[in-house]
Amino acid sequence: MPLPAQDTSSSPPALNSVLGTRALLVALVLALLPACKDKSPKPPASTASGAKSPQLDKAQFDVSQLQEDDTQWVMAAKNHANTRFSRLTDINATNVKDLKVAWTYSTGFVRGHEAAPLVVGDTMYVVTPFPNHLVALDLSKEGAPMKWVYEPQPSPAAQGVACCDHVNRGAAYADGRLFYNTLDNHTVAVDAQTGKELWKTKLGDINKGETMTMAPLVVRDKVIVGNSGGEFGVRGWAAALSTKTGAVLWRAYSTGPDSDVLIGPNFKPFYEQDRGKDLGVKSWPPEQWKIGGGTVWGWLSYDPELDLLYYGTGNPGPWNPEQRPGDNKWTCGIFARKPDTGEAVWFYQWSPHDLFDHDGINEAIITNLTVNGQPRKVLIHPGRTGYVYVLDRATGEVLSAVPFAHITTSKGVDLKTGKLVPVLEKSPGLGKTVRDICPAAPGAKDWSPAAFSPQTGLLYIPGNNLCQDEQGLEANYIAGTPYLGANVRMYPGPGGNGGEFIAWDVLNGKKVWSIPELFPVFSGALVTAGDVVFYGTMDGWFKALHARTGQELWKFKVGSGIIGQPITFRGPDGTQYVSVLSGVGGWAGAIVAGQLDPRDQSAALGFANAMKELPKYTTRGGMLYTFRLP
Ligand SMILES: O=C(O)c1cc(C(=O)O)c2c(n1)C(=O)C(=O)c1cc(C(=O)O)[nH]c1-2
């Protein structure tokens, strides 16, 4: 289906800044979205003939080509641009109401299932939560039976230092291999055909509180990964490994001297506050940067035109901000780096001196807009602070930052300085109890990835509606133990609903429609050229909505709440399928997955209080569901 032309000349609407300092004229340049150059869906050669798909041959291609093939799904975010948009249209707004279960697969595990399944050729690959099995399912056979299971046998002690359940967000595929992380800090490469381990590299130390949960990204011959442990006083980093050997080619820390952060002469941040020598040391009290967080546990994206890799950094530690005066660089921000060397090109800090655990790790979705009549290469970031940011991805300049949620903690983003404007009375600290902090620590949106349709111009945001009360404590650092300095109690925000699924008009900077949900929306979103958007709820509904109107077109009750990432693909039989993992857990669902006592308001770092009704709605258990039209 051709994309509708958008008139960029006649009175394009303003993308307003929160402070109203500047109105931007913005229009989508749809054809420029890297993953969407070819606007027509590409059916595999097998569709017409019914013969076996030639996809296995395609699987040998470089991943930058492979991501263009909508019949497969080769990395968690679908493509380097992180759009989670598929051009497949067989399942569409008209017929999605008839969607039926094709087959299911029980993983046998009960912790939170966050991974995106991958589809390469005629095989689906699923990474489970700890103990991080990789399962290959044969899509060419009825019921998709198991081909093999790879078991990396991570150290059970890793479970004790995972902040937010024993989750894993999935694998990345390239050159006949699957790459993913184990909770005990190994990156592994597995042969996609045989399930044999090709290499295994240890990158972190559970004794310091480090874990790994994120889905890697492959750029050319490098697999890029990062650590978790911001709640344990670890030092955050991203690393690039050779896809062939697993050797570490570079590692860039998020705190410390420039030499460790890979900041050199080519580092050109847009804003003045990010310029200067060794800010990763100087913006901290002495030595604090060594245990200062800034982990890299979220999404990576890559722009081949600029040859830039983008990723966000997590919160500074400890949570009690009084123990770390300063901007705490380079936490709670976004880096642009050269993927071959890791050298930093620019950085922008979403929340300098973060006060609320507002990690900056959410996805950066790559597209192109026309701003004030000028084409700009941008990235879109629905942030934990509650703003949808649009940044120039060549320079790191903030073009707009518009609130998409209820915010009491900041007044906006000053587009002249790029600084978030905090509400001072909401600052937590020792001996204080601050109430009505919105968004709460998990943010207006946590890691759960949004989808962006170049066809509707809408961003589909799995949102939270959470506030919290916080009492500051003194945190003492003991390696491998929680390093927080805060008592927190969360609760649903205005309206009483814990979550909201939002369609956001990037062009106009406004909400187009939204669906309130009882609980925070912790699943990923998927949108297709059939104008259907999919997501799952923590109480166990898998939903399909009309991508333009938000009208509910179909829903199906799965066995356990959904925090997984839906995907779509065309099977070897030429049929379009939609798959999603159910299996409640993660930070929001820890109350069920970890069987916490709902009477303990501070359990799960205070999240349990907002989720105390969840055990009445769902039970734990990992199950993959795959749907098709009859
Ligand atoms: O700072 C960190 O290192 C870190 C790691 C993780 C993680 O790896 O799961 C989460 C968070 N922070 C976090 O702040 C957060 O909200 C969160 C939610 C979840 C989840 O899986 O539901 N993980 C994490």
Side-chain angles (χ1 to χ4, degrees):
M1 186 198 290
L3 302 176
Q6 294 221 353
D7 184 0
T8 55
S9 57
S10 63
S11 58
L15 189 63
N16 293 314
S17 84
V18 179
L19 295 181
T21 49
R22 202 157 86 194
L24 301 176
L25 301 179
V26 178
L28 284 172
V29 179
L30 298 167
L32 291 177
L33 187 75
C36 302
K37 276 185 190 130
D38 179 354
K39 295 169 196 165
S40 58
K42 286 188 207 160
S46 63
T47 318
S49 64
K52 195 164 187 285
S53 156
Q55 291 162 358
L56 266 184
D57 293 333
K58 289 185 213 163
Q60 306 305 321
F61 291 175
D62 181 83
V63 71
S64 58
Q65 303 294 317
L66 211 53
Q67 62 175 322
E68 297 287 332
D69 178 2
D70 287 292
T71 67
Q72 311 187 65
W73 194 282
V74 298
M75 64 188 91
K78 170 77 164 58
N79 45 42
H80 281 148
N82 271 243
T83 61
R84 295 172 190 270
F85 170 77
S86 168
R87 284 164 290 205
L88 296 183
T89 53
D90 300 357
I91 298 170
N92 54 49
T94 310
N95 61 22
V96 69
K97 63 179 174 13
D98 298 325
L99 218 54
K100 298 274 179 312
V101 173
W103 50 268
T104 60
Y105 169 78
S106 169
T107 67
F109 299 109
V110 294
R111 289 304 191 128
H113 284 61
E114 291 186 352
L118 299 190
V119 172
V120 185
D122 57 9
T123 308
M124 178 180 286
Y125 301 93
V126 179
V127 182
T128 74
F130 183 91
N132 304 133
H133 288 185
L134 174 65
V135 183
L137 302 171
D138 189 345
L139 299 174
S140 70
K141 301 212 172 91
E142 189 180 15
M146 275 189 280
K147 272 186 171 171
W148 46 256
V149 182
Y150 164 71
E151 301 183 13
Q153 305 197 323
S155 166
Q159 296 167 95
V161 288
C163 73
C164 310
D165 200 8
H166 313 155
V167 296
N168 186 290
R169 302 194 181 87
Y173 172 86
D175 297 333
R177 294 158 180 225
L178 288 134
F179 307 94
Y180 73 101
N181 298 314
T182 63
L183 196 64
D184 71 344
N185 303 302
H186 291 81
T187 302
V188 296
V190 179
D191 185 302
Q193 294 286 355
T194 65
K196 288 227 167 60
E197 181 180 294
L198 298 169
W199 51 256
K200 185 175 192 176
T201 301
K202 182 168 187 240
L203 290 155
D205 183 359
I206 53 172
N207 295 314
K208 289 192 207 153
E210 268 178 306
T211 49
M212 289 172 79
T213 62
M214 53 85 77
L217 192 81
V218 175
V219 177
R220 291 189 286 274
D221 58 349
K222 294 182 182 64
V223 51
I224 325 277
V225 298
N227 67 345
S228 298
E231 276 58 56
F232 289 77
V234 312
R235 191 179 171 207
W237 48 259
L241 282 64
S242 158
T243 53
K244 301 224 161 30
T245 66
V248 178
L249 302 173
W250 54 258
R251 190 188 300 240
Y253 287 92
S254 306
T255 68
D258 286 354
S259 52
D260 287 7
V261 187
L262 306 189
I263 285 179
N266 296 323
F267 184 56
K268 305 255 167 4
F270 192 83
Y271 298 101
E272 201 186 325
Q273 62 267 25
D274 299 318
R275 299 182 203 139
K277 200 171 158 33
D278 293 330
L279 297 182
V281 173
K282 290 179 190 157
S283 62
W284 294 89
E287 311 295 314
Q288 185 68 33
W289 57 269
K290 294 181 179 165
I291 50 172
T295 48
V296 183
W297 60 276
W299 299 108
L300 306 155
S301 32
Y302 171 65
D303 174 7
E305 286 172 44
L306 297 171
D307 190 31
L308 287 179
L309 172 76
Y310 304 95
Y311 66 82
T313 55
N315 62 285
W319 281 11
N320 181 351
E322 289 177 346
Q323 290 182 244
R324 46 175 174 78
D327 272 359
N328 309 137
K329 291 192 195 307
W330 308 88
T331 64
C332 283
I334 177 168
F335 274 112
R337 295 185 183 275
K338 286 285 176 195
D340 283 340
T341 58
E343 72 170 328
V345 173
W346 58 257
F347 174 88
Y348 169 70
Q349 199 165 25
W350 314 114
S351 47
H353 186 62
D354 162 66
L355 299 172
F356 310 108
D357 184 39
H358 286 167
D359 300 54
I361 61 83
N362 288 0
E363 62 281 10
I365 297 173
I366 290 176
T367 189
N368 294 321
L369 303 176
T370 298
V371 179
N372 291 337
Q374 285 200 320
R376 303 287 286 255
K377 295 175 191 295
V378 304
L379 61 82
I380 305 165
H381 172 86
R384 203 144 147 157
T385 52
Y387 301 90
V388 174
Y389 298 81
V390 178
L391 264 61
D392 182 318
R393 72 176 182 274
T395 64
E397 179 186 6
V398 182
L399 303 177
S400 71
V402 185
F404 68 93
H406 174 64
I407 303 176
T408 62
T409 48
S410 65
K411 292 185 207 139
V413 177
D414 182 335
L415 296 183
K416 283 207 185 79
T417 61
K419 288 185 184 169
L420 186 72
V421 183
V423 174
L424 295 178
E425 21 332 339
K426 294 295 176 190
S427 291
L430 205 57
K432 278 199 265 180
T433 300
V434 183
R435 301 195 190 277
D436 194 34
I437 292 173
C438 320
K445 172 191 171 295
D446 207 303
W447 67 272
S448 324
F452 176 69
S453 166
Q455 192 165 285
T456 62
L458 300 181
L459 177 71
Y460 301 93
I461 308 173
N464 301 329
N465 177 34
L466 296 169
C467 300
Q468 72 185 28
D469 299 342
E470 181 168 343
Q471 192 180 44
L473 305 169
E474 188 174 336
N476 290 303
Y477 177 75
I478 302 169
T481 65
Y483 184 52
L484 292 172
N487 271 338
V488 170
R489 188 175 62 103
M490 298 182 208
Y491 41 88
N497 52 307
E500 189 177 13
F501 188 76
I502 301 165
W504 183 262
D505 181 347
V506 181
L507 202 62
N508 294 302
K510 69 166 207 269
K511 196 186 280 187
V512 177
W513 51 258
S514 79
I515 310 292
E517 294 289 354
L518 192 52
F519 298 108
V521 186
F522 258 61
S523 86
L526 161 71
V527 64
T528 73
D531 272 347
V532 188
V533 58
F534 294 91
Y535 74 102
T537 67
M538 292 197 68
D539 52 343
W541 289 102
F542 188 45
K543 296 187 177 180
L545 309 182
H546 197 296
R548 293 178 192 273
T549 63
Q551 185 197 348
E552 187 178 287
L553 302 173
W554 170 88
K555 67 177 175 178
F556 183 86
K557 188 77 191 312
V558 295
S560 174
I562 299 177
I563 57 165
Q565 305 161 51
I567 67 153
T568 188
F569 62 97
R570 202 190 291 277
D573 62 353
T575 303
Q576 184 185 352
Y577 293 88
V578 177
S579 291
V580 70
L581 273 168
S582 94
V584 84
W587 190 8
I591 188 166
V592 173
Q595 299 182 314
L596 308 177
D597 186 337
R599 290 171 301 181
D600 181 356
Q601 300 186 343
S602 64
L605 311 179
F607 213 146
N609 188 61
M611 305 302 293
K612 50 182 184 261
E613 297 298 311
L614 188 65
K616 298 180 189 159
Y617 285 82
T618 193
T619 53
R620 58 190 194 161
M623 180 82 89
L624 176 73
Y625 289 80
T626 294
F627 301 90
R628 59 168 291 171
L629 292 172

